[in-house]
Amino acid sequence: MKTHEAEFVASLYKGNNILGISLLSISVTAVLLAMFIFSSFVSLQNVRTLLLKHLLVAFLFEDFLTLIQQALVYLARKMKVPDIRCFFKSTVFCETLLVLSKYTSLASLTWVLVLVVYQWRSTKPWYNGNCARAFICAVGWLFSCVPTITWTVILALTHKGKCWNGHLSMSSIWIIEGPKFGLLFLILLFLMLTMWKLFDRKREIINIDEILRKRAQLRQCMCVFVWICVGQVTYIVSAHAPMQLDIRSLAAWSYVVTMLMSSKGFVVSICFCFLESDVREALKTPITT
């Protein structure tokens, strides 16, 4: 019986690994296509598109680094080595991959917050659409450096001589997870404020253009909610898997979690690019180089 369960668990890991690689490859391709669309059409060049391009770059690197890790896990299983740390003669490469993964996951959350704050500001009657682009770019990319560097220094001092991957204590990981929860709280806060403002101003709308613009803003808010449900809620729930389930139910749970966690880039591309009315209109016109 134990042998049968061990074989089932091994096949479960293999299936999750292959599923993750497949979906991550699709996500990376979708993000690259969305970036190409946003960069190719003059009609799409505005402040929001600039923020979306930075957001897509963050998700591209996050998915690409996760894809590398999944590919190494696949190779480790094929070559029958204990884990991916066996591929690195020096711990520097293993540690760099882990640190970059943590940084990009924080950076993608930061850029979602920047986008949501921009949507909230756009609901204000006094906002004219201008913003300090250099400052926004600095905040989007440099904020995540602070907790990531702090976490890296602590691990470097406490885990000398071995790769940090697989040796992460709960006290150190909260240096990364704490800012993540803080960013998620701020995203939800500004999202609620934006939607409250949009619903509150409905009675003020007097022309069809304003109605269409408000509908587009509400749709953008719903896209952020979808992204939160797919990526962040799944991430939180996956850490508390219902271990009391039987092995087959647990297998179904793990497949669903892998499917959702590996398709974040695809969901972002669909919600923030391919479903946008401006993008669909731009695709009907010739590409301007």
Side-chain angles (χ1 to χ4, degrees):
M1 183 66 179
K2 291 184 178 180
T3 304
H4 176 70
E5 288 186 358
E7 291 177 352
F8 183 81
V9 170
S11 64
L12 175 63
Y13 280 126
K14 179 180 178 181
N16 270 297
N17 182 223
I18 295 174
L19 178 63
I21 291 174
S22 303
L23 292 176
L24 284 167
S25 300
I26 294 172
S27 291
V28 169
T29 303
V31 171
L32 286 172
L33 181 58
M35 291 174 61
F36 172 77
I37 291 173
F38 280 135
S39 302
S40 300
F41 295 94
V42 176
S43 60
L44 296 177
Q45 305 311 308
N46 51 49
V47 175
R48 186 170 183 274
T49 298
L50 175 67
L51 301 182
L52 285 174
K53 285 193 285 188
H54 282 283
L55 175 65
L56 289 170
V57 170
F59 274 100
L60 175 64
F61 281 108
E62 182 181 4
D63 284 348
F64 184 69
L65 290 169
T66 308
L67 179 60
I68 292 176
Q69 291 177 336
Q70 290 292 328
L72 289 174
V73 170
Y74 178 83
L75 290 175
R77 189 181 65 251
K78 283 291 185 181
M79 299 173 64
K80 297 181 179 180
V81 296
D83 55 47
I84 64 174
R85 286 172 288 180
C86 299
F87 292 111
F88 304 101
K89 293 182 180 180
S90 172
T91 60
V92 174
F93 298 103
C94 177
E95 293 160 357
T96 301
L97 184 62
L98 182 62
V99 170
L100 288 176
S101 298
K102 297 298 182 183
Y103 169 76
T104 52
S105 65
L106 264 177
S108 59
L109 264 174
T110 305
W111 277 108
V112 172
L113 175 61
V114 171
L115 180 64
V116 171
V117 171
Y118 172 77
Q119 291 178 346
W120 169 73
R121 283 169 60 92
S122 65
T123 63
K124 301 295 182 180
W126 47 262
Y127 184 61
N128 58 7
N130 297 323
C131 64
R133 300 189 182 190
F135 174 76
I136 290 176
C137 292
V139 170
W141 291 113
L142 296 181
F143 170 78
S144 303
C145 292
V146 178
T148 305
I149 291 174
T150 304
W151 177 74
T152 303
V153 170
I154 291 175
L155 287 182
L157 295 175
T158 56
H159 294 79
K160 295 181 178 179
K162 56 185 177 181
C163 179
W164 307 331
N165 194 3
H167 296 93
L168 303 180
S169 63
M170 290 302 296
S171 58
S172 64
I173 199 64
W174 274 104
I175 300 174
I176 298 291
E177 299 302 319
K180 275 188 178 181
F181 282 106
L183 288 169
L184 188 59
F185 171 77
L186 291 175
I187 290 170
L188 289 170
L189 175 63
F190 279 100
L191 202 58
M192 293 297 183
L193 290 174
T194 303
M195 297 188 71
W196 174 266
K197 191 66 178 178
L198 291 173
F199 282 118
D200 186 52
R201 291 187 62 189
K202 263 192 169 183
R203 64 177 67 95
E204 303 174 13
I205 298 174
I206 57 175
N207 59 71
I208 188 64
D209 291 336
E210 187 72 6
I211 292 175
L212 293 176
R213 190 171 71 87
K214 296 305 176 186
R215 285 181 179 177
Q217 289 177 325
L218 284 172
R219 186 169 62 250
Q220 292 162 8
C221 292
M222 292 308 299
C223 287
V224 177
F225 270 122
V226 170
W227 171 81
I228 290 173
C229 294
V230 170
Q232 302 310 308
V233 174
T234 305
Y235 175 78
I236 296 170
V237 173
S238 64
H240 303 85
M243 300 304 295
Q244 69 273 16
L245 296 177
D246 62 89
I247 191 167
R248 295 192 180 276
S249 299
L250 194 60
W253 166 274
S254 66
Y255 275 117
V256 171
V257 169
T258 300
M259 181 178 65
L260 294 175
M261 290 295 294
S262 302
S263 57
K264 288 188 293 184
F266 178 75
V267 171
V268 167
S269 302
I270 293 294
C271 290
F272 295 114
C273 179
F274 304 124
L275 291 181
E276 290 284 335
S277 58
D278 293 343
V279 172
R280 294 199 300 269
E281 289 296 324
L283 290 174
K284 297 177 183 178
T285 62
I287 294 178
T288 302
T289 57

